[in-house]
Amino acid sequence: MTKAEETIKIFFEVLDTFPTANNWQKYLTLKNWKRLFLNIFIKKYWLKWTETKYNTFDMLRRIRMIEFFDYITKEFDIYEENWRYIIETNFFRMIIFETKKKKLELLSFYNFR
């Protein structure tokens, strides 16, 4: 098993600990009690990684951070910036997108300082 395959396997083990909505989608609860779904994030950085502009290292680095998602979503406030929602820690930033159905989806997660 390659490092990438092992990382993805562990990613899904962590993801399986997250609650599941009625539509079978995994989510986390934000500090303001709204649900944050992960489908867009998973598709962007894993399911279609042969079609993305990101290299393997960038994607694996982002998906490894899933361990901290639950902590970050519960401990940090969400604010709006340029039609997107942001959660910011000292070193990381989550970009959240609101779909047409008013559902919050994690778009990206990266270090920014």
Side-chain angles (χ1 to χ4, degrees):
M1 184 179 289
T2 67
K3 271 201 182 274
E5 291 168 337
E6 184 180 344
T7 301
I8 291 165
K9 179 180 175 263
I10 295 169
F11 170 86
F12 279 106
E13 287 173 6
V14 173
L15 184 67
D16 284 342
T17 67
F18 293 175
T20 305
N22 294 337
N23 58 3
W24 302 102
Q25 295 179 0
K26 297 291 186 176
Y27 70 91
L28 290 171
T29 305
L30 298 172
K31 195 173 178 182
N32 64 4
W33 298 103
K34 290 187 178 184
R35 288 182 176 182
L36 173 63
F37 292 90
L38 305 168
N39 292 339
I40 291 176
F41 178 81
I42 292 169
K43 286 177 185 173
K44 183 177 180 182
Y45 292 107
W46 187 74
L47 293 178
K48 297 183 180 184
W49 68 349
T50 56
E51 302 171 17
T52 75
K53 61 183 177 192
Y54 304 103
N55 66 37
T56 304
F57 176 76
D58 285 339
M59 288 184 291
L60 293 179
R61 182 172 46 83
R62 285 181 170 95
I63 67 173
R64 277 189 197 109
M65 297 302 296
I66 195 169
E67 286 181 305
F68 298 103
F69 286 3
D70 194 36
Y71 167 74
I72 290 168
T73 56
K74 284 180 176 48
E75 295 297 319
F76 293 88
D77 290 325
I78 185 170
Y79 64 91
E80 193 171 350
E81 179 183 287
N82 296 331
W83 302 358
R84 294 217 168 106
Y85 297 98
I86 310 285
I87 298 176
E88 230 171 53
T89 71
N90 290 322
F91 296 105
F92 297 99
R93 178 181 277 181
M94 281 184 160
I95 307 294
I96 299 165
F97 174 76
E98 188 172 16
T99 66
K100 291 178 184 175
K101 295 180 180 180
K102 301 293 183 192
K103 185 171 91 172
L104 297 181
E105 285 274 358
L106 179 60
L107 182 63
S108 188
F109 180 79
Y110 56 91
N111 53 332
F112 74 104
R113 292 191 186 173

